[in-house]
Structures are given as structure tokens and as C-alpha cells.
Amino acid sequence: MVKFTFALFAAAVVGTLSMAAPVTKRADSSIFAASNRYSGKATWFTDSYGSCNVHWDGNTQPIVAMSALMMGAESWGNPACDKLVRITLKSDPSKSVEARVVDKCPGDECAYGSLDLSPAAFQQLGDLGTGILDIEWSFV
């Protein structure tokens, strides 16, 4: 019985230590410095309303959803909402777009540094058929 209890306790400790870091409640304001450069993947999505309580038309407006790992769990009133970002295509730095943060990627669908772009933003960097682009970006 003692061995079983110890094994159960050890498994619980190991499982707890290996879990991913939790999403913070609010974005850390230090990430907004224009001198900070981020890199990741750009994907695209179609929607018209998001976690910043803003309606948009993604076919005409360049907008982005940020990683929940960067934005935090808070939605309405999040300090990342309405911030502008400049996104540059890694393979062709002459291609860039400015877009407004209006949403957050659900759960862990966007890695830290990755962004989900509206079709209007994505098409300024590449073809929608590509699906995923390597990007660098910063807050404006």
C-alpha cells in the first residue's frame, strides 16, 4: 500500500511539473515596446467579432489575433486590444503590413510570437493558398 501511495504521489508531482505554463490574466505591458521584435508563423482566419469586443470586416481591414500566451486570458479591456503591429515577411522584407489587434487565438492555437491575420492583412504578405508564412513583427 505504501509503494502504491508513493507511486501515485510521484506521478502527480511529475505530471504537475511537466504541464505548460499557464496563460496569464493580462498581457505584460513590456511586450508593447516598439523595439521588441517577435517572430513566428502567420496564418489567416475569417471572423467578424473577437475578444476585444470589436466588429470588423477581415476582407477589407488588416487585423490580427494575437497568441493567448502573449495577450493573456483577459478579453474586453485587454491592453493589447487596438494596438498596431507591423508584420514583415521573413523571406521578402519588402512585404509588410500594419494591422490592428482585435482578437486572440483561442487556447494554444498560436504559438508565442505567431499571429492569425485577416485575409486583408495576409494577402499583403502572400497568397491565401499558402496558408502559413514565416513572419517577424513588432508593435508600432
Side-chain angles (χ1 to χ4, degrees), residues 38-113:
Y38 302 99
S39 63
K41 304 288 184 187
T43 51
W44 62 274
F45 72 113
T46 57
D47 209 340
S48 61
Y49 183 75
S51 62
C52 290
N53 193 26
V54 174
H55 290 276
W56 69 85
D57 177 0
N59 292 315
T60 61
Q61 295 175 298
I63 58 92
V64 299
M66 274 182 66
S67 164
L69 297 171
M70 294 183 81
M71 197 166 175
E74 183 180 19
S75 290
W76 298 359
N78 190 299
C81 291
D82 289 324
K83 297 272 189 216
L84 287 177
V85 295
R86 172 158 297 281
I87 308 157
T88 305
L89 185 62
K90 271 189 177 181
S91 63
D92 183 356
S94 70
K95 291 186 176 183
S96 67
V97 61
E98 266 188 25
R100 182 170 60 123
V101 177
V102 297
D103 201 2
K104 109 177 95 178
C105 295
D108 62 354
E109 289 186 24
C110 290
Y112 190 95

